[in-house]
Amino acid sequence: ELPPSEFMQVADSTWLVLSVVSNGREPPGCQATGVTKIARSVIAPLAEHHVSVLMLSTYQTDFILVRERDLPVVIHTLAGEFDIYKEESGECVPVTSDDVSNGFLKPKPSTSPMLHPVQSPQTRFCVLTVAPDTLPAIATMLIDVLFYSHSPPWDAATGSQDLDSITFFSFSLIEGYISIVMDAETQKRFPSDLLLTSSTGELWRMVRIGGQPLGFDECGIVAQIAEPLAAADISAYYISTFNFDHALVPEEGIAEVIQLLQQRQESGR
């Protein structure tokens, strides 16, 4: 429905959403467990089959987006470990690997080297939600943050932004549930009684993956980050974008995360 515009770039592929749940559907309002919980069972197998994914963690759950043309490979890859359902007319209908063509070969598992630089800004972030009926009360502030807040200064000498003060704001509205990621300073601008976070109120630090726009054609980027964090039992929220990928980890674990990812990079050289 959006009008054509020279300012809007649209990826060629159509994407489908996979939501991973355990023991049936998760109850509404349940906070996401993070990308590392599905690293070994979903993300790594898809990477081994050369399936590119986009990852979107929200306050409520985690979503994996795959290209529509890759769906047969996705179903075949995951059917051995998961019960897979597709939505038809609002109903969940079981899908089996018989519904897709045979002949997919199981690749040999291998550790994929990290090819992209990983940076960690000093900014501290919050993962929040808000009740939909209170959204109008903060709508003006949301618009101000989204469209009128200034980005950190661009360093012409290095061609990059100052990572000590990176600007990152994520807002998602999925099936009526709202999820927001913002830095701790921006949070102070909002009414504290409207923004809901986990009972611990923990802060998060970010690792940003990529030195230039990643695009959508490369596979295995999410797996390269999620697998070592899963092995260390470190939870993470993960948000893929066109330019970079972003993993949010608990603030107290950022030093260990950076060390793990540096080791992964060095092992791939």
Side-chain angles (χ1 to χ4, degrees):
E1 298 178 3
L2 293 175
S5 169
E6 60 180 309
F7 305 106
M8 182 169 59
Q9 300 182 38
V10 182
D12 294 333
S13 302
T14 302
W15 297 74
L16 299 176
V17 178
L18 306 179
S19 58
V20 183
V21 298
S22 59
N23 300 322
R25 292 195 174 276
E26 295 180 3
C30 176
Q31 191 168 358
T33 54
V35 64
T36 50
K37 302 301 181 184
I38 52 176
R40 294 189 184 94
S41 57
V42 181
I43 296 170
L46 292 181
E48 291 170 4
H49 281 88
H50 308 291
V51 175
S52 180
V53 305
L54 297 179
M55 187 72 205
L56 177 62
S57 294
T58 71
Y59 186 90
Q60 289 80 19
T61 189
D62 299 291
F63 298 94
I64 302 172
L65 280 76
V66 298
R67 287 188 176 95
E68 189 171 24
R69 66 171 182 260
D70 289 334
L71 188 59
V73 184
V74 171
I75 294 174
H76 179 85
T77 302
L78 302 181
E81 189 165 347
F82 292 91
D83 296 324
I84 301 178
Y85 298 85
K86 61 182 176 182
E87 187 174 301
E88 290 185 351
S89 302
E91 298 291 331
C92 288
V93 180
V95 176
T96 67
S97 56
D98 296 335
D99 295 339
V100 299
S101 57
N102 294 322
F104 297 110
L105 298 177
K106 173 68 175 177
K108 294 181 179 179
S110 60
T111 301
S112 54
M114 285 189 60
L115 304 176
H116 298 285
V118 175
Q119 302 165 314
S120 179
Q122 298 299 313
T123 312
R124 304 156 82 208
F125 293 94
C126 309
V127 179
L128 309 153
T129 188
V130 61
D133 59 348
T134 64
L135 188 59
I138 61 171
T140 301
M141 202 159 297
L142 279 174
I143 292 173
D144 182 66
V145 172
L146 285 170
F147 299 110
Y148 299 105
S149 295
H150 296 291
S151 298
W154 184 268
D155 190 336
T158 62
S160 63
Q161 288 180 327
D162 176 12
L163 281 179
D164 287 338
S165 56
I166 186 174
T167 296
F168 184 92
F169 185 91
S170 172
F171 176 90
S172 61
L173 174 59
I174 302 174
E175 294 184 333
Y177 296 107
I178 298 169
S179 182
I180 305 174
V181 178
M182 67 176 77
D183 64 83
E185 288 301 312
T186 300
Q187 183 193 11
K188 296 176 182 178
R189 299 169 56 182
F190 289 82
S192 59
D193 58 329
L194 298 183
L195 300 179
L196 307 175
T197 186
S198 63
S199 57
T200 58
E202 61 188 335
L203 293 175
W204 301 73
R205 288 280 300 278
M206 175 188 290
V207 289
R208 187 174 74 171
I209 302 94
Q212 57 186 2
L214 299 174
F216 301 131
D217 295 324
E218 190 173 348
C219 68
I221 298 175
V222 180
Q224 291 166 10
I225 302 298
E227 285 186 287
L229 299 188
D233 197 28
I234 298 174
S235 61
Y237 282 62
Y238 201 101
I239 299 177
S240 299
T241 68
F242 182 86
N243 291 313
F244 302 99
D245 279 14
H246 309 83
L248 291 163
V249 300
E251 184 178 28
E252 65 273 11
I254 186 64
E256 182 181 0
V257 169
I258 293 174
Q259 182 180 15
L260 287 170
L261 298 181
Q262 287 177 341
Q263 291 173 349
R264 185 71 176 262
Q265 278 186 315
E266 292 171 357
S267 64
R269 291 173 181 169

